Amino acid sequence: MQISRSLANLCARALIESMNVRDMRHLVKRMIPDYDLYKQSGFPESFAIPSIDAAKQIIGDIINHNLFFQLIQNLIHMNQEGFMGEKIRISYLNDILKEIYNNGYLFDSENQMFVENPQVQISRNWGALQEGESYTLAFLSIDIIGNTKIVKKYSKEIVETTYTELNYIVQNAINKRNGRFWMWEGDGGVIAFFFRNKNEDAILSAMEIMNNIFLYNRTICKLTEPLKIRISVHSGVCEYTDKISYFKNMGVMKTISEMEKNHSKENSICISYPVRMMLDGFIANQFTSLGSSSTSKFYRYKLEWKK
Amino acid sequence: MIDIYLFSKNNKVLSFFKKIRKSKSFSIIIYNPSNYKTILRNTNQDIFVYIDISSFNISEQKKLINYITRQKRFDFGIIDPHNNLSDPAELFYRGASDYIGKSLLMNEAKAGRIKNAVNFYATEDVEDQISTSPVFDDIPTMLSGHNWDKIEVGNEYTFCMLHIEIDILSEWEKSGKSHIEEVLNFFYSHINRIIKPLNGKLWMKTDFGGLILFPYDGSCTPIIIECIKLVMNRIIFSAEEYTYNTILTYRMALDIGNTKYLTSGNTGNIISDSVNFIFHFGKQYAEPGNFYLTGRVKEDIPPGLLDYFYTTDRFQDRTIYKMKLPILK
């Protein structure tokens, strides 16, 4: 986010009116441990730096280090929990949050971080995840079964229409649950979920996709046979990266590949144990264990009908 | 001047209509054929439609012809540049006013021919049609359109009627009125979000749901699809719309019927066999978690989904179809 001069000034005023210079230095050291206010501001160490100069210098440096959101997250935390054992009220905090909201970002209180407002913009990292940092995410992987045969058998136009419609069905299901495409290769891809109940969001997206593909196959699908898909859902800790080739080699992706290769079946959803653990009972019950129920690492759901 | 909607992107077809486009008797508007449903669904004007089937593959052509022959709001002609249809006469049995094949397209259209096509059925206004063209054996249809623009309070119309109620769990029965009210608030908010894009209105409330009216333009297909989704997505909506961590279900009964339209809250004195029937159908016949529809609605089930409905016991002398249920554990 581009920080406007007025927002930077508002934050400087918030620091000046909420704390002394000593607290400001402690605050900034939480984000930049070797921060030296005297060195940055040019004041000799024998001088007491005026609040206004200290605040402006700190805000400028925080913005230069791309740590603006972290500063505000710290201010929110201080306002709620106090600072160094003392209660503290941060002035202008609501005005700052309002200004950030107007710039397309929301504060996610569960994860205690700023994320982009999906109604304003949608980016791969929700405007929050940092390159190289590790996070716990849930992943939904979907692919078309028999892609090569479809491409050979049907005209380019029919294949393109069908795959675009699949993408639309997936997008429709994941957007309402704040999921993000991390990979899409025409015949399938990987979608990441980070907020709220990420495992449940991934599972409900998977079920909605499965149900809509069922209806799609029986109403507007242009192929002469049903479009067959398989879905896998797994969650785990993963380093955030923009580099797809690097992401493909991560541990979570290796597990997903194993699920697709060995456990996923046509028109079904295969999930891993960590995902099932996090589901409400009535959702978890829809998945049957693969192998012995006591040692099973994977579970499966398939849309089946009463006779 | 007669408005003609021409759905074609075929140069031969467009040249065929070249002279007609300059004629003062006709106003021709050309549309991309792939948008035909969207355009036709949104028109309430008096129009004549020519649609070129060459932009569609064989299965799409069938769907298109099924769709267009079901419409009652306009007359239409079929353009078949490659003579794909083996039995063009069948089109006329199904209500077409014109058929333009390969040989005819070699020349340019003559105004006289197009006039003959437009006057083939000497189409009455929809208003006139209302009293004379029964679609069903037992009720005359008075098409209400696809939205509420032309529906006037106090007049009688044909509507698609959905009786829907949430199935109250036995443990809720003891938990008091305020809890049931909370459940119903979740329910109405969910249902209103579902029916809004289909122009549905919750017309009368019942203890655990209500009667929804959808304007009827000759097809209930989108409403059937939404009801099927409500059956299929039970786990999804139980998790996302409610907070009770248990599977909730709706019972639904769908029919097409006639009633005088009065605003919600002023419906106490309505006398309508259709409204009586849908209430009995929903209250006395429908079982928890199930979706039922009558024979006249069945005609609008997409062919690919017919296998998921089966006939069940008749009700008040009508054939009833019940949807199969997905297995829940």
Side-chain angles (χ1 to χ4, degrees):
Chain A
M1 185 180 97
Q2 195 71 31
I3 313 298
S4 66
R5 187 182 285 267
S6 64
L7 181 57
N9 286 340
L10 190 60
C11 290
R13 277 168 61 194
L15 292 190
I16 294 162
E17 293 185 24
S18 312
M19 61 188 85
N20 56 34
V21 174
R22 185 184 62 110
D23 288 347
M24 286 185 210
R25 287 169 65 193
H26 280 297
L27 170 65
V28 74
K29 275 177 182 281
R30 286 184 171 188
M31 292 166 278
I32 313 171
D34 57 353
Y35 187 80
D36 184 341
L37 182 59
Y38 280 101
K39 198 173 157 191
Q40 291 299 113
S41 62
F43 276 93
E45 287 195 22
S46 53
F47 264 65
I49 304 175
S51 275
I52 186 165
D53 295 300
K56 281 185 175 175
Q57 185 64 48
I58 287 171
I59 295 295
D61 291 337
I62 287 285
I63 292 170
N64 288 341
H65 279 79
N66 207 16
L67 292 168
F68 180 75
F69 280 153
Q70 270 167 268
L71 170 73
I72 308 302
Q73 282 156 212
N74 271 299
L75 292 179
I76 293 170
H77 183 77
M78 286 163 71
N79 199 53
Q80 288 167 346
E81 308 292 334
F83 186 54
M84 294 167 70
E86 284 177 22
K87 275 192 176 179
I88 185 166
R89 195 187 143 268
I90 305 294
S91 307
Y92 308 114
L93 193 53
N94 282 341
D95 297 320
I96 293 168
L97 293 178
K98 206 167 145 189
E99 188 65 21
I100 293 173
Y101 176 81
N102 289 340
N103 279 285
Y105 285 81
L106 306 166
F107 184 67
D108 177 65
S109 52
E110 197 179 311
N111 290 289
Q112 291 286 309
M113 65 199 299
F114 284 94
V115 294
E116 66 195 4
N117 180 350
Q119 284 168 352
V120 178
Q121 58 188 350
I122 290 182
S123 56
R124 193 172 187 271
N125 68 344
W126 294 271
L129 274 49
Q130 305 280 329
E131 182 83 26
E133 294 287 322
S134 291
Y135 303 92
T136 305
L137 294 120
F139 294 99
L140 182 162
S141 163
I142 176 170
D143 74 320
I144 292 175
I145 298 174
N147 172 48
T148 317
K149 271 188 191 167
I150 292 172
V151 172
K152 274 186 191 164
K153 186 173 171 184
Y154 297 95
S155 70
K156 195 181 164 200
E157 196 187 342
I158 289 183
V159 173
E160 273 177 11
T161 308
T162 307
Y163 289 15
T164 306
E165 282 163 348
L166 169 69
N167 180 281
Y168 176 77
I169 288 171
V170 174
Q171 200 168 307
N172 195 33
I174 65 162
N175 277 357
K176 60 178 109 160
R177 299 177 180 97
N178 214 4
R180 293 287 187 275
F181 281 112
W182 274 23
M183 275 179 10
W184 189 259
E185 290 171 335
D187 65 328
V190 175
I191 296 106
F193 295 83
F194 181 53
F195 296 100
R196 289 196 321 163
N197 191 344
K198 46 188 161 283
N199 294 287
E200 189 175 294
D201 282 343
I203 292 297
L204 298 179
S205 298
M207 285 181 167
E208 186 173 328
I209 292 166
M210 201 59 87
N211 290 349
N212 282 341
I213 289 289
F214 169 88
L215 292 172
Y216 170 74
N217 278 332
R218 283 154 188 83
T219 50
I220 57 167
C221 178
K222 287 187 170 58
L223 307 180
T224 53
E225 66 220 280
L227 182 69
K228 293 173 195 158
I229 56 162
R230 66 183 160 200
I231 299 180
S232 309
V233 179
H234 176 52
S235 72
V237 177
C238 163
E239 196 179 298
Y240 176 74
T241 177
D242 278 334
K243 298 173 199 88
I244 291 176
S245 56
Y246 183 50
F247 170 63
K248 277 181 176 173
N249 288 318
M250 286 183 184
V252 280
M253 282 307 290
K254 283 180 182 160
T255 308
I256 286 175
S257 300
E258 186 206 330
M259 288 165 76
E260 278 175 355
K261 202 172 158 190
N262 301 324
H263 307 290
S264 299
K265 283 207 168 154
E266 157 181 332
N267 297 335
S268 69
I269 303 165
C270 177
I271 65 171
S272 61
Y273 181 73
V275 174
R276 190 178 182 276
M277 280 278 289
M278 300 306 290
L279 300 177
D280 278 337
F282 75 100
I283 305 174
N285 290 345
Q286 307 307 316
F287 291 83
T288 46
S289 60
L290 301 179
S292 157
S293 58
S294 57
T295 56
S296 180
K297 283 161 68 182
F298 302 107
Y299 301 80
R300 191 184 293 142
Y301 164 81
K302 193 172 197 300
L303 177 63
E304 288 172 310
W305 298 86
K306 287 183 185 169
K307 284 182 184 163
Chain B
M1 188 181 279
I2 301 155
D3 282 337
I4 294 179
Y5 284 14
L6 170 61
F7 291 86
S8 179
K9 51 184 179 183
N10 181 322
N11 283 336
K12 264 191 184 172
V13 174
L14 299 179
S15 328
F16 177 76
F17 282 94
K18 207 170 169 182
K19 264 192 187 168
I20 302 295
R21 286 161 73 180
K22 290 175 189 160
S23 160
K24 287 178 184 167
S25 309
F26 305 102
S27 154
I28 295 200
I29 308 166
I30 298 164
Y31 289 106
N32 184 337
S34 54
N35 296 337
Y36 75 92
K37 271 192 184 170
T38 319
I39 305 288
L40 294 177
R41 195 187 302 138
N42 292 326
T43 182
N44 279 324
Q45 290 167 329
D46 196 7
I47 55 163
F48 188 88
V49 173
Y50 272 112
I51 190 153
D52 168 9
I53 61 169
S54 66
S55 303
F56 303 91
N57 65 31
I58 301 293
S59 74
E60 286 170 337
Q61 286 176 8
K62 276 186 188 168
K63 283 181 192 168
L64 180 150
I65 289 168
N66 284 340
Y67 175 83
I68 205 152
T69 52
R70 273 208 310 266
Q71 306 305 313
K72 310 290 174 199
R73 289 175 291 128
F74 50 79
D75 285 336
F76 62 93
I78 298 290
I79 305 169
D80 182 12
H82 308 306
N83 285 355
N84 278 345
L85 298 180
S86 54
D87 185 6
E90 195 200 337
L91 293 173
F92 293 91
Y93 308 146
R94 296 173 67 180
S97 301
D98 200 5
Y99 171 82
I100 297 170
K102 191 175 175 180
S103 56
L104 205 62
L105 287 171
M106 304 288 207
N107 305 307
E108 285 190 348
K110 288 181 181 144
R113 183 202 165 85
I114 304 300
K115 263 187 196 165
N116 285 341
V118 170
N119 295 326
F120 187 69
Y121 280 110
T123 319
E124 314 91 308
D125 284 341
V126 169
E127 314 290 326
D128 299 336
Q129 248 185 340
I130 282 167
S131 54
T132 56
S133 64
V135 173
F136 309 113
D137 293 341
D138 54 345
I139 57 161
T141 47
M142 298 173 239
L143 301 176
S144 42
H146 74 282
N147 59 31
W148 292 83
D149 292 354
K150 290 191 173 172
I151 296 173
E152 288 174 15
V153 172
N155 289 350
E156 188 170 341
Y157 301 95
T158 304
F159 291 98
C160 195
M161 300 176 170
L162 174 67
H163 187 278
I164 179 166
E165 290 195 323
I166 184 168
D167 299 315
I168 295 296
L169 302 178
S170 53
E171 60 263 33
W172 288 349
E173 282 163 9
K174 291 176 193 161
S175 54
K177 202 180 161 193
S178 65
H179 178 67
I180 298 291
E181 271 173 16
E182 180 193 86
V183 172
L184 288 175
N185 284 340
F186 284 130
F187 170 79
Y188 289 126
S189 134
H190 179 214
I191 289 308
N192 278 324
R193 233 172 312 119
I194 299 276
I195 65 174
K196 202 176 166 193
L198 300 168
N199 292 318
K201 270 189 190 175
L202 180 63
W203 195 41
M204 294 184 202
K205 282 191 177 179
T206 61
D207 289 348
F208 304 117
L211 174 61
I212 296 163
L213 290 188
F214 298 91
Y216 179 66
D217 63 356
S219 169
C220 305
T221 306
I223 299 152
I224 297 171
I225 299 272
E226 268 327 304
C227 292
I228 293 174
K229 282 188 184 174
L230 282 175
V231 174
M232 294 182 72
N233 292 341
R234 289 174 291 181
I235 294 170
I236 299 172
F237 74 66
S238 299
E240 294 187 326
E241 305 290 339
Y242 298 86
T243 54
Y244 306 113
N245 291 342
T246 187
I247 298 176
L248 300 172
T249 55
Y250 300 157
R251 68 182 81 185
M252 293 174 280
L254 188 64
D255 188 24
I256 298 163
N258 292 351
T259 180
K260 185 191 270 191
Y261 175 67
L262 294 173
T263 50
S264 288
N266 298 311
T267 52
N269 296 324
I270 281 181
I271 300 166
S272 157
D273 287 344
S274 302
V275 173
N276 274 347
F277 172 77
I278 191 77
F279 270 105
H280 291 161
F281 186 22
K283 285 270 180 204
Q284 297 168 10
Y285 188 91
E287 288 176 355
N290 279 284
F291 170 38
Y292 303 85
L293 43 83
T294 55
R296 49 194 173 212
V297 180
K298 185 218 165 201
E299 300 304 314
D300 291 333
I301 298 174
L305 289 164
L306 276 170
D307 284 352
Y308 293 85
F309 288 84
Y310 57 95
T311 48
T312 180
D313 297 339
R314 289 174 72 81
F315 180 66
Q316 294 189 354
D317 214 24
R318 289 181 202 190
T319 309
I320 304 296
Y321 295 83
K322 184 177 181 181
M323 185 187 160
K324 286 182 185 174
L325 293 178
I327 295 173
L328 291 178
K329 287 163 190 155

